[in-house]
Each structure stands twice: as C-alpha cells, then as structure tokens.
Amino acid sequence: MTTWCEQQQIEGVTCTKGFHQLAQVRQVSVYTYMTEGLVIDVGGSKIPQFRDVLKQQSPEAVLLTHHHEDHTGNSAWVEQHLQIPQYIHRSSVKDMTQKANNPLYRQQVWGTREAFTALPLSDTFTAKSIWDVIETPGHASDHVAFYNRSTGHLFAGDLFVAPKLKIMLEGESYSTLLHSLQNIQAIDYSGVFCHHAGFLTDARSLIDRKITYMQEFAEQVVRLHDRGMPTTQIVAELLPHTHVMEAVSDGEWSRHYLVNTIVQERDAIFMTV
Ligand SMILES: [Zn+2]
C-alpha cells in the first residue's frame, strides 16, 4: 500500500493533498487545509502522512466539513495526540462518539473512523478572522462550508468535487445538493478550496457550470421517465459507462440511485429558489 502527501501554499493557506494508491481504483486523494491556526478536515486514517503534517502544524482547532471518514479519519488521533477542540455539525456530535460502521470497501480505501469527541459548530466561528459556518447539505446531511469573512476564502468540503455528477452515494440528495450549490453562489467569495479538487481556479464559473449541468441532466432524466422508460434503460441511455466505484462499492455508489433520486426529487429540483 502506497500513500503519500504533497503540500503547497495558496493565498496563505497550506494545502495538503494525501494520496492512497489502490490496485482497483487507481488512486484516491483528499485535501486538508491549514490557515489561521485552524485545520479544516483531517484526512483518512489510511494515510499516515496526514498525522505527521498535523503534528508539525500543531493547530489550535479542527473544523470538520462533514462526518465522512476521508475527512474525519484522523480525528481520534488528533484527540489523543494534540488535545485540541474539533468541531462538526451538531447533528453528528453524538455519532462521532461511536466508531463508524462503514462497509468494508470504505475501510480499505480510507481506513476506519474511530470514535472521538466533537463539539457542535455554531453559525460563526472566531479565529483571527470571523468565519461563517454555512449549511450545505446534499452530499451529506451534516455538510457545512466555512467562509472566512476577511480573506473571502470558502472551504467547501465535498460540495463541488467535480463539474459533472455521474454517480451518487446512497443517502445523497440531488435536489438538496443543487440548492446548496445555488446558495453558495450568493456568497461573495474570493476563492474556493475543495477537499477533492483542491483550490478551484475560477470557482464561480465552475460551480455555475455544475449547477447548469445538474439542471439539464435532471431534465433529461425526467423527460425519459415521463415517456415510460424504466430506470435501467435511462441509465443505459444517459450514463452508459460503468463507473469503477459501482463494482468496488457493491452498489453503494450507483448510477441507478442517481437516476431514481432525480425522479423522486423532481419537484424539489425544479423548484425556484
Ligand atoms: Zn464526503
């Protein structure tokens, strides 16, 4: 198993990208960010280099964008070795006191998320600057983004990830994600740090493109569904290529789930916000 980290500075933010080379799905990666003495997300426990970085950075607090193990996997280590407060959405505080019960493939890819004590996030957070905690559910119900009012930086967790959505994780909500993306565009951010895509150059137009893609894709799905086409056929028509995660995840990630969710959430998707 090969893992490593690469680091770069962007606009005063230390960006640490951790990699895990896998036989089946080539490579996965996730970012942690450090600024103003805060670390935003701590990476997956399969990548030990994150712990070396955390030790060296010696942050004052950890802000967590959501509960997934690639973002919280080193939190138990932080608790044991750094003894600093770690904050997460209030709805996940209790869950964090239990070890995550994730499917085996996720444990193999990212490692387990051991139990740790988290504190509930408020609407704002004060470090050197004042930060807004912005609820951005969809990818996960406890998902938040962090907005630094002084620098205009937005730390977006898994809100963006990629310009197109071709597969979804069970439990994700298409309409909620779409509305979170639309809401974020109302913020006068200067730059967006994504936890999988890194610093987004021209974030505003990239996110606009994702919103447009999601709206147009949903229209296509609904049109075919209304013609009586079954989900399997819609998938074959619009998403013909099997995604590597489908086999690996034993269906937890799925194109069928994506299509079914669009059909189920159609009213909310086309609702004007
Ligand atoms: Zn996630």
Side-chain angles (χ1 to χ4, degrees), residues 65-71 106 139-140 143 157-158 161 169 172 196 253:
T65 58
H66 62 300
H67 70 280
H68 288 159
E69 68 280 8
D70 47 335
H71 302 254
R106 282 171 61 173
H139 168 67
H143 195 286
D158 287 357
V161 182
L169 175 66
E172 286 188 297
H196 288 286
W253 286 89

Coordinates of all heavy atoms in Angstrom, one line a residue, residues 65-71 106 139-140 143 157-158 161 169 172 196 253, ligand 1:
T65 N -15.9 19.5 7.9 CA -17.0 19.8 6.9 C -18.1 18.8 7.0 O -19.3 19.2 6.7 CB -16.4 19.9 5.5 OG1 -15.9 18.6 5.1 CG2 -15.4 21.0 5.3
H66 N -17.8 17.6 7.2 CA -18.9 16.6 7.4 C -18.3 15.3 8.0 O -17.1 15.2 8.2 CB -19.6 16.3 6.1 CG -18.8 15.8 4.9 ND1 -17.7 16.4 4.4 CD2 -18.9 14.6 4.2 CE1 -17.2 15.7 3.4 NE2 -17.9 14.6 3.3
H67 N -19.1 14.3 8.2 CA -18.7 13.2 9.0 C -17.9 12.1 8.2 O -17.3 11.2 8.9 CB -19.9 12.5 9.7 CG -20.8 11.8 8.7 ND1 -21.7 12.5 7.9 CD2 -20.9 10.5 8.4 CE1 -22.3 11.6 7.2 NE2 -21.9 10.4 7.4
H68 N -17.9 12.1 6.9 CA -17.2 11.0 6.2 C -15.8 10.8 6.6 O -15.1 11.7 6.9 CB -17.3 11.3 4.7 CG -18.7 11.2 4.1 ND1 -19.1 11.8 2.9 CD2 -19.8 10.5 4.6 CE1 -20.3 11.5 2.7 NE2 -20.8 10.7 3.7
E69 N -15.4 9.5 6.5 CA -14.2 9.0 7.1 C -12.9 9.6 6.4 O -11.8 9.6 7.0 CB -14.1 7.5 7.2 CG -14.1 6.8 5.8 CD -15.4 6.7 5.1 OE1 -16.4 7.3 5.5 OE2 -15.4 6.0 4.1
D70 N -13.1 10.0 5.1 CA -11.9 10.6 4.5 C -11.6 12.0 5.0 O -10.6 12.6 4.7 CB -12.0 10.6 2.9 CG -13.4 11.0 2.4 OD1 -14.4 11.0 3.2 OD2 -13.4 11.5 1.2
H71 N -12.6 12.6 5.7 CA -12.4 13.9 6.3 C -12.2 13.9 7.8 O -11.7 14.8 8.4 CB -13.7 14.8 6.0 CG -13.9 14.9 4.5 ND1 -13.7 16.0 3.8 CD2 -14.4 14.0 3.6 CE1 -14.0 15.8 2.5 NE2 -14.4 14.6 2.4
R106 N -14.9 0.8 2.1 CA -14.6 2.1 2.5 C -13.5 2.1 3.6 O -12.6 2.9 3.6 CB -15.8 2.9 3.1 CG -16.7 3.4 1.9 CD -18.0 3.9 2.4 NE -18.0 5.0 3.3 CZ -19.1 5.7 3.7 NH1 -20.2 5.4 3.2 NH2 -19.0 6.7 4.5
H139 N -24.6 16.3 -0.2 CA -23.7 15.2 -0.3 C -23.8 14.4 1.0 O -23.7 13.2 1.1 CB -22.3 15.8 -0.5 CG -21.2 14.8 -0.2 ND1 -20.9 13.7 -1.0 CD2 -20.2 14.7 0.8 CE1 -19.9 13.0 -0.6 NE2 -19.5 13.6 0.5
A140 N -23.9 15.1 2.1 CA -24.2 14.5 3.4 C -25.1 15.5 4.2 O -25.0 16.7 4.0 CB -22.9 14.3 4.2
H143 N -23.4 18.3 6.1 CA -22.3 19.0 5.4 C -22.4 20.5 5.6 O -23.4 21.1 5.5 CB -22.4 18.7 3.9 CG -21.2 19.0 3.2 ND1 -20.8 20.3 2.8 CD2 -20.2 18.3 2.7 CE1 -19.7 20.4 2.2 NE2 -19.3 19.1 2.0
G157 N -15.5 21.6 1.4 CA -15.7 20.1 1.7 C -16.0 19.4 0.4 O -15.2 19.5 -0.6
D158 N -17.0 18.6 0.3 CA -17.4 17.8 -0.8 C -18.6 18.4 -1.6 O -19.3 17.7 -2.3 CB -17.7 16.4 -0.4 CG -16.5 15.6 -0.1 OD1 -15.4 16.2 -0.2 OD2 -16.6 14.4 0.4
V161 N -16.5 19.0 -5.8 CA -15.7 17.8 -6.1 C -15.4 17.7 -7.6 O -14.3 17.5 -8.0 CB -16.5 16.5 -5.7 CG1 -15.6 15.2 -6.1 CG2 -16.7 16.5 -4.1
L169 N -23.7 8.5 -4.1 CA -23.6 7.6 -2.9 C -25.0 7.5 -2.3 O -25.7 8.5 -2.1 CB -22.6 8.3 -2.0 CG -22.4 7.6 -0.6 CD1 -21.7 6.3 -0.8 CD2 -21.5 8.5 0.2
E172 N -27.3 10.4 -0.6 CA -27.1 11.7 -1.1 C -28.4 12.2 -1.6 O -29.2 11.4 -2.2 CB -26.0 11.8 -2.2 CG -24.6 11.7 -1.7 CD -23.6 11.9 -2.8 OE1 -23.6 11.1 -3.8 OE2 -22.8 12.9 -2.7
H196 N -11.5 17.7 -2.6 CA -11.0 16.7 -3.5 C -10.4 17.3 -4.8 O -9.5 16.7 -5.3 CB -12.1 15.7 -3.9 CG -12.5 14.7 -2.8 ND1 -11.7 13.7 -2.3 CD2 -13.5 14.7 -1.9 CE1 -12.2 13.1 -1.3 NE2 -13.4 13.7 -1.0
W253 N -22.3 3.2 -4.3 CA -22.2 4.2 -5.3 C -22.9 3.7 -6.5 O -22.6 2.6 -7.0 CB -20.8 4.6 -5.7 CG -20.0 5.4 -4.6 CD1 -19.3 4.9 -3.6 CD2 -19.9 6.8 -4.5 NE1 -18.8 5.9 -2.9 CE2 -19.1 7.1 -3.4 CE3 -20.5 7.8 -5.3 CZ2 -18.8 8.4 -3.0 CZ3 -20.2 9.1 -4.9 CH2 -19.3 9.4 -3.8
Ligands
ZN1 ZN -17.8 13.1 1.7

